[in-house]
Amino acid sequence: MKIAIGSDHAGFELKEKVLKHLKTKDYDITDFGTDSLESCDYNDVAKEVAHAVARGEFDRGILMCGTGIGMSIQANKIPGIRAAHVQDMFSAEATRLHNDSNVLTMGGRILGEDLASAIAETWLTTDFSYQERHQRRVNKIEKL
Ligand code: RB5
């Protein structure tokens, strides 16, 4: 699975920790930055990662900022992106089963390393349910 990952300064430290965890697994990961704690705009990284996922260059994207919310709002502006802002294990699984989310966003000022890594792992390993009602609802999102 090809994964695009990115953060702003507020998500940088969590990105590095989640990256370290994901690198122990069989993922093909490209890091879109940022590479330091120097302040930058979450919008720019979200746009790059979301476009790359929407173009089909990556199977999934993972984005982190302070809350995960700015990344989610920005990524969801890109057609074809269904970004899910997740803070718990139940939602990590449910958004894959029900929404077929293709971008995961998390907050570096909210989540610790272990929970964020577990959320990412669950989100990456859960398939869309392909049940008719969920597919119908995803289609309605895509039509809008
Ligand atoms: C940066 O201070 C912060 O606003 C940003 O990381 C993010 O949380 C926005 O939603």
Side-chain angles (χ1 to χ4, degrees):
M1 183 187 285
K2 290 187 76 179
I3 301 167
I5 195 165
S7 76
D8 70 354
H9 57 289
F12 170 68
E13 288 175 305
L14 187 63
K15 171 171 70 73
E16 295 303 298
K17 290 170 184 164
V18 171
L19 251 179
K20 188 186 70 186
H21 172 81
L22 294 179
K23 278 178 178 168
T24 67
K25 313 276 175 177
D26 195 22
Y27 297 118
D28 178 356
I29 309 172
T30 301
D31 185 359
F32 281 71
T34 188
D35 301 320
S36 74
L37 293 170
E38 192 180 328
S39 182
C40 64
D41 298 338
Y42 59 83
N43 317 76
D44 304 328
V45 179
K47 209 169 77 178
E48 268 196 72
V49 166
H51 275 304
V53 172
R55 284 195 298 262
E57 293 163 15
F58 294 89
D59 301 299
R60 307 272 186 86
I62 300 178
L63 290 165
M64 286 162 255
C65 58
T67 58
I69 297 171
M71 286 293 196
S72 162
I73 292 170
Q74 183 66 78
N76 275 317
K77 300 291 279 187
I78 310 301
I81 293 301
R82 293 179 301 283
H85 174 226
V86 174
Q87 306 190 94
D88 63 274
M89 296 295 288
F90 178 83
S91 303
E93 185 182 35
T95 187
R96 285 292 311 135
L97 290 170
H98 292 208
N99 315 127
D100 197 15
S101 52
N102 50 13
V103 170
L104 168 70
T105 75
M106 297 186 284
R109 292 175 178 159
I110 298 171
L111 299 176
E113 173 176 359
D114 290 349
L115 180 55
S117 300
I119 286 172
E121 189 58 26
T122 294
W123 183 78
L124 287 168
T125 54
T126 304
D127 287 334
F128 181 50
S129 74
Y130 291 105
Q131 287 180 27
E132 194 280 329
R133 69 182 189 283
H134 294 311
Q135 186 65 66
R136 183 179 70 237
R137 292 162 189 165
V138 169
N139 291 347
K140 285 185 176 184
I141 294 171
E142 291 311 302
K143 260 192 191 160
L144 197 65

